[in-house]
Amino acid sequence: IIALAERVDCFPDAGASKQRGCCWSPLDERNVPWCFFSTNHGYTVDSVEQPNPYVMKATLKRMASPSLFGADIEELSFHAEMQSNNRLRFKISDAHRQRFEVPHEHISSLTSDPSSPISNTLEMTRKPFGLTVRRKENNRVLFDTTMAPLVFADQYLQMSAKLPSHNIYGLGEHVHQRYRHDTYWKTWPIFTRDAFPNGVTLQPAPAVTYRTIGGVLDFYIFFGDTPEQVVQEFLVLIGRPVIPPYWSLGFQISRWDYGSLSEVKKTVERNRAVSLPYDIQYTDIDYMEDKKDFTYDKVKFSELPQFADYLHAKGQKYILILDPAIATSKRVGGSPYDAYDRGTEKNAWVTESDGKTPLLGEVWPGETAFPDYTSQNCIDWWVDEYERFSKEIKHDALWIVSQC
């Protein structure tokens, strides 16, 4: 018998029925799954290898059971390692075919330094396959996937884990109504605010279910006695952030369409006159010539190169905005728009499916090309343009506005 709070939805979509091959138990309670996993789903451990005390490898074979969405992967590879005394990593992937993985350009160079055997922290259940992660000091269970089966198909992956408490935080990219998460059958999409199918479901067990439509399952678990220690362990893995300058934490003023630099200065002087404490003044893209990046209006903003000095005299800073959609049109008077021309020469733009034709859109300056920041050519072009512009317009920081 599976408790209501521990039911894991085997069909997180409309139209579930008892024909799915899962457990079927309709309720008056709408949030609790009616169609949920039984014990005849998932994978079994076919073989285990432990090359050293800190690493565990296994091959998983899918159990014969109804498929949720088809194209299930029959054989999986499992790899787990204690990378340090306070960091466990485990990964589950297709044993025979490479699948997309987000590149870890920084994490890949990390050196492992464990001293505690993985068996002190990780226990594997063979049939059906499941993992139990414990604190080695007191054996308290932190992450237990034996509550529900693993699903690993071509376009659908799902893993559930029972958690030790309802104190669950995080899951960014959302507007949260409370700091601690609601675990009453609450689902949050991953990396989006309003759409599925990638998502995280929290339920009263307490437990969490991860669902995604591709890639692999790659988890890091950090051990710490306090939230601060967990964050410290996380930063050891990904690298510590740049400490922001103290002035960047102060009050800041930004507005679209000041119209001219003289109007910006009037705003600054008006606030100084009433002793309003603010550290930073911005100019939006109306300082540009026809809203073209790496240019400035030499009529209405003719003194912009000296504006930072004007602010620095009173201990203030200047931030300018760049809006990286690059116009394809000429500059005033028909002169070349060098930033666009140099970008074209460098093949810096996002292209259509042929890999050659620049993908054009329309943003503030009219018809635009879009920098492809995944391309080294684009990175080189961008750095060069920014260095040129920073020598022309003195400023303290940059606000880059994203474009959709």
Side-chain angles (χ1 to χ4, degrees), residues 185-214:
W185 307 104
K186 180 67 176 179
T187 298
W188 296 97
I190 299 177
F191 301 132
T192 61
R193 292 187 177 183
D194 59 356
F196 297 93
N198 299 322
V200 175
T201 297
L202 302 175
Q203 64 189 75
V208 60
T209 294
Y210 300 92
R211 297 184 181 94
T212 181
I213 58 171

Side-chain angles (χ1 to χ4, degrees), residues 140-151:
R140 188 184 186 192
V141 176
L142 302 180
F143 195 82
D144 181 3
T145 73
T146 62
M147 69 170 290
L150 167 68
V151 179

Side-chain angles (χ1 to χ4, degrees), residues 57-322:
K57 300 179 180 180
T59 300
L60 312 180
K61 294 289 183 68
R62 184 175 182 271
M63 299 170 64
S65 59
S67 176
L68 297 188
F69 297 103
D72 293 270
I73 307 302
E74 295 297 325
E75 186 170 286
L76 301 178
S77 175
F78 171 79
H79 180 99
E81 59 180 327
M82 287 298 299
Q83 295 185 332
S84 75
N85 287 338
N86 295 310
R87 184 176 68 250
L88 167 69
R89 180 189 184 186
F90 68 85
K91 178 179 174 182
I92 303 172
S93 57
D94 189 328
H96 302 291
R97 187 168 67 90
Q98 182 70 34
R99 295 167 66 93
F100 174 77
E101 298 181 39
V102 176
H104 293 330
E105 62 269 25
H106 303 298
I107 293 175
S108 60
S109 61
L110 188 73
T111 57
S112 297
D113 186 27
S115 61
S116 176
I118 195 169
S119 59
N120 291 349
T121 302
L122 181 67
E123 178 185 349
M124 181 188 296
T125 303
R126 286 177 168 261
K127 185 176 183 179
F129 164 76
L131 301 173
T132 305
V133 179
R134 292 184 170 89
R135 287 188 182 276
K136 61 179 180 294
E137 298 83 4
N138 55 19
N139 284 328
R140 188 184 186 192
V141 176
L142 302 180
F143 195 82
D144 181 3
T145 73
T146 62
M147 69 170 290
L150 167 68
V151 179
F152 203 114
D154 183 46
Q155 296 187 47
Y156 186 85
L157 283 65
Q158 178 170 305
M159 173 178 277
S160 302
K162 196 170 182 179
L163 304 175
S165 80
H166 292 268
N167 295 322
I168 301 171
Y169 305 88
L171 304 178
E173 306 293 329
H174 304 286
V175 177
H176 296 293
Q177 301 302 316
R178 52 191 286 183
Y179 190 47
R180 189 177 76 163
H181 281 303
D182 178 2
T183 57
Y184 189 71
W185 307 104
K186 180 67 176 179
T187 298
W188 296 97
I190 299 177
F191 301 132
T192 61
R193 292 187 177 183
D194 59 356
F196 297 93
N198 299 322
V200 175
T201 297
L202 302 175
Q203 64 189 75
V208 60
T209 294
Y210 300 92
R211 297 184 181 94
T212 181
I213 58 171
V216 301
L217 296 172
D218 194 354
F219 286 79
Y220 290 84
I221 296 180
F222 304 94
F223 304 92
D225 295 327
T226 65
E228 289 80 7
Q229 289 180 8
V230 172
V231 171
Q232 288 169 4
E233 290 294 332
F234 179 62
L235 294 179
V236 169
L237 177 69
I238 68 169
R240 291 177 173 84
V242 175
I243 297 177
Y246 187 68
W247 56 263
S248 70
L249 306 177
F251 293 106
Q252 311 180 24
I253 291 181
S254 178
R255 198 191 87 189
W256 157 253
D257 197 19
Y258 279 107
S260 67
L261 188 61
S262 61
E263 188 62 32
V264 179
K265 287 185 174 181
K266 286 180 183 178
T267 302
V268 175
E269 294 296 339
R270 185 166 61 248
N271 287 296
R272 287 176 178 175
V274 297
S275 299
L276 182 80
Y278 83 104
D279 292 276
I280 303 166
Q281 177 64 52
Y282 289 76
T283 55
D284 207 330
I285 63 173
D286 50 305
Y287 75 80
M288 301 175 182
E289 178 191 290
D290 288 343
K291 305 180 183 65
K292 288 182 169 66
D293 277 344
F294 308 114
T295 71
Y296 71 98
D297 188 326
K298 296 187 177 180
V299 177
K300 296 178 181 178
F301 287 81
S302 60
E303 298 179 1
L304 196 64
Q306 296 80 41
F307 182 57
D309 294 331
Y310 159 79
L311 291 173
H312 292 170
K314 297 291 185 179
Q316 295 172 293
K317 307 294 182 180
Y318 173 45
I319 295 181
L320 58 79
I321 291 178
L322 284 179

